[in-house]
Amino acid sequence: MKAVSAIGAALMLGGCALMPATRTEQSAAEATPTPIPTAQIALKPTYRVQQGEVIDTTTFSGRVSPQKEEALYFRTDGRIRTVFFKRNELVKQGDVIAEFEIDALERELTAADLELERAQVTLDEAMRNLELDQREAQTRLERAQIMLDGADRDPNVSRAGVEAYQKDVDLAQIEVDRLGVGVSPLLQNDLTRARYAVEKLKQEIAEAQIIAPFDGILLSLSLTPGQAVTGYQPVASVADDSAMEISADLLSNQLQLLAEAMPVTFVLSSRPGDTLHGVIRRLPYPYGSGGSGQTIEAKDKSTRITIDESAQTGNYAIGDLVRVTAEVERAADVLWLPPQAIRNFNGRLFVVVQDGDVQRRVDVRIGVEAEDRVEILEGVEEDQVVVGP
C-alpha cells in the first residue's frame, strides 16, 4: 500500500509539471531586467574673456535731511508753562516755541523796567537842567565881560571899579567851568545799573525759553505743560526746509572709498526706478572737512551729499530714505571676467583655461574689482574660454 501511494504522488507531481503555465508566470518569464542608468557628469560653467569697461562702485543708505538744522534746548532747569507750537509747524526767527514757568522773573522784569525808566527820566531831567544852567552861566559870563570892557574904556571908572568888574567875570567863568563838567556821574551809574538789571532778567527769561534761531519747520518737539526739563538737554529741533541734502552715517571702511566732491547717483526707496544725482559735500574728520569743530553742527560726523535736482523736480521730501551709489574706480577698454571664474588657493589667483580638450591652470593678476566683473591685467587673452569651479 505504501508503494502504491508513492507512485500516485509521483504521478500527481508529474501531472502538475505538464500543466500549462498561468499568465502571471508567463509575464514573469518574459520580463527583462531594468538597466542601471549611467551617471551623468555635471558640466562646469564656462566664461569667455571679454574686453570692455569695469566700474567699481559702493552703495550705502541715507536719508533726505535739511542742510541747516539745529537742536534746541533750555539753558537752565525748569518746568514747562506754555508750548506755543506743534511738531511740523513753521516758525519764524525769534518766535518763542516754549517757555518755563517764569512768572516771578516776569514780575521782577516789570519792576526793573520801572526802575530803569525812573533812572532814565532822572538823568534826562538833570541833562535838561544842566543845559539851561550852562546857557544862563554863559550869558552871565558874556554880560560880565561886556561890563568889564566898558569900565576899562571909561576914564570915570576907578581902578578899583575895573577890578570889581574883573572879579564878576572870573566868578561867571568859574560857574561856566563848573557846569561844563556835566551831570553827576552817580545819575549815569544809576541808569547803567538799572539797565544791567533789566538785561540780566531778560537773559534769565531767554534761558527759560526756546526761541527759533531762524525761519524753518519744527522737525521734533517733545514738550508738554507741567513737564520738568533739564537744562542743555535737546528737546526740539528746527530745520530750514528750503535747502535739503542727503545725510548718511557710514563706517570707516566705507568712508575710505569716498572723497569730497565725488559725484554720486541715488534712488528713493519709494521709487527705485528714478535715478537722481548729487555730489559729496562733506565727509567727517579725518576723511574730510567735517566733524572736527566744537559747535553742534561742526561735531556732526555724518556724510553730507548735495542734491542736483530740486525738490520739485526730484519729488523728494525731508525724511525720505535713499540708496546712494558712488563710483570708486573705473577701468576702460580692459579684459575682464566675472568674479566666479577666478579661483583662489592660498592667495594665489588663477583660472582654468580650456584649450580644445585640454584644461590648464593659468595665474592671473587682477585690477579693478566690481560686483559683476573683474579686470584682468595679466594671464589671459580676449575670447579665451575659462572653466568655472
Side-chain angles (χ1 to χ4, degrees):
M1 291 296 293
K2 293 181 179 179
V4 173
S5 298
I7 294 171
L11 290 174
M12 290 178 64
L13 292 174
C16 290
L18 295 176
M19 291 177 64
T22 65
R23 292 183 179 180
T24 301
E25 291 172 339
Q26 290 177 353
S27 298
E30 295 174 358
T32 56
T34 303
I36 298 174
T38 304
Q40 295 183 355
I41 300 176
L43 296 178
K44 293 184 177 181
T46 59
Y47 309 93
R48 188 173 298 276
V49 179
Q50 301 183 55
Q51 189 162 3
E53 192 173 52
V54 180
I55 304 174
D56 182 20
T57 61
T58 182
T59 59
F60 52 87
S61 298
R63 186 181 296 273
V64 177
S65 305
Q67 185 173 342
K68 185 179 181 181
E69 181 179 357
E70 187 170 328
L72 305 179
Y73 49 85
F74 293 99
R75 289 174 171 79
T76 185
D77 299 346
R79 190 174 298 276
I80 299 297
R81 180 176 71 177
T82 309
V83 180
F84 298 98
F85 292 89
K86 297 180 181 179
R87 184 174 177 269
N88 292 329
E89 285 189 338
L90 297 177
V91 295
K92 295 289 185 180
Q93 182 178 3
D95 283 345
V96 178
I97 298 172
E99 64 185 8
F100 282 156
E101 296 175 349
I102 51 175
D103 304 79
L105 287 175
E106 290 174 335
R107 288 192 295 268
E108 291 180 28
L109 179 59
T110 300
D113 281 332
L114 292 174
E115 185 64 25
L116 175 61
E117 183 179 355
R118 188 198 65 80
Q120 185 68 61
V121 170
T122 301
L123 179 60
D124 292 343
E125 185 177 357
M127 293 291 290
R128 287 193 299 270
N129 292 336
L130 174 63
E131 183 182 0
L132 293 175
D133 291 343
Q134 286 176 334
R135 289 169 59 187
E136 183 179 354
Q138 183 64 36
T139 300
R140 288 176 179 174
L141 174 61
E142 293 173 357
R143 182 178 181 278
Q145 186 65 50
I146 292 172
M147 295 297 292
L148 174 61
D149 293 342
D152 194 40
R153 291 191 297 269
D154 189 351
N156 295 323
V157 179
S158 65
R159 185 63 183 173
V162 172
E163 290 179 356
Y165 284 121
Q166 180 63 54
K167 293 300 182 182
D168 291 341
V169 171
D170 294 342
L171 290 173
Q173 183 63 56
I174 290 173
E175 183 65 11
V176 169
D177 294 341
R178 184 184 68 81
L179 295 173
V181 176
V183 297
S184 171
L186 295 178
L187 297 177
Q188 183 63 53
N189 290 344
D190 289 344
L191 179 64
T192 302
R193 184 167 52 253
R195 185 178 292 120
Y196 173 78
V198 170
E199 293 300 324
K200 179 175 178 294
L201 288 169
K202 286 183 177 180
Q203 181 63 32
E204 291 179 4
I205 290 176
E207 291 177 353
Q209 295 175 325
I210 289 181
I211 300 175
F214 50 81
D215 296 354
I217 184 173
L218 278 174
L219 291 184
S220 64
L221 182 66
S222 55
L223 296 173
T224 56
Q227 175 184 350
V229 178
T230 303
Y232 295 95
Q233 176 182 342
V235 292
S237 64
V238 63
D240 180 3
D241 59 346
S242 64
M244 289 177 278
E245 61 184 5
I246 295 173
S247 173
D249 295 322
L250 305 180
L251 301 176
S252 59
N253 60 337
Q254 295 173 304
L255 292 168
Q256 291 172 356
L257 303 175
L258 305 177
E260 293 181 346
M262 176 183 286
V264 300
T265 59
F266 68 94
V267 295
L268 298 170
S269 298
S270 59
R271 297 196 319 278
D274 299 336
T275 300
L276 302 176
H277 305 80
V279 61
I280 297 177
R281 177 176 70 86
R282 190 190 70 195
L283 293 174
Y285 179 85
Y287 306 97
S289 58
S292 60
Q294 297 301 318
T295 64
I296 293 178
E297 181 179 0
K299 289 182 179 180
D300 182 12
K301 294 188 178 298
S302 63
T303 295
R304 294 283 176 160
I305 299 172
T306 301
I307 303 174
D308 292 345
E309 292 82 3
S310 66
Q312 293 74 20
T313 303
N315 193 21
Y316 55 83
I318 291 177
D320 286 347
L321 292 174
V322 299
R323 189 68 178 168
V324 182
T325 300
E327 181 181 312
V328 177
E329 194 174 4
R330 177 189 294 260
D333 196 23
V334 297
L335 298 179
W336 64 270
L337 281 169
Q340 58 269 28
I342 303 172
R343 310 188 191 196
N344 187 333
F345 181 76
N346 291 335
R348 173 195 172 193
L349 299 179
F350 66 94
V351 296
V352 176
V353 177
Q354 183 76 48
D355 283 340
D357 295 333
V358 179
Q359 295 182 356
R360 57 188 179 89
R361 294 185 177 184
V362 177
D363 290 338
V364 294
R365 188 165 66 90
I366 66 175
V368 178
E369 298 181 64
E371 184 177 354
D372 59 342
R373 56 181 67 179
V374 178
E375 178 188 7
I376 308 298
L377 299 175
E378 293 180 0
V380 295
E381 298 178 356
E382 187 177 4
D383 289 333
Q384 281 187 315
V385 177
V386 173
V387 180

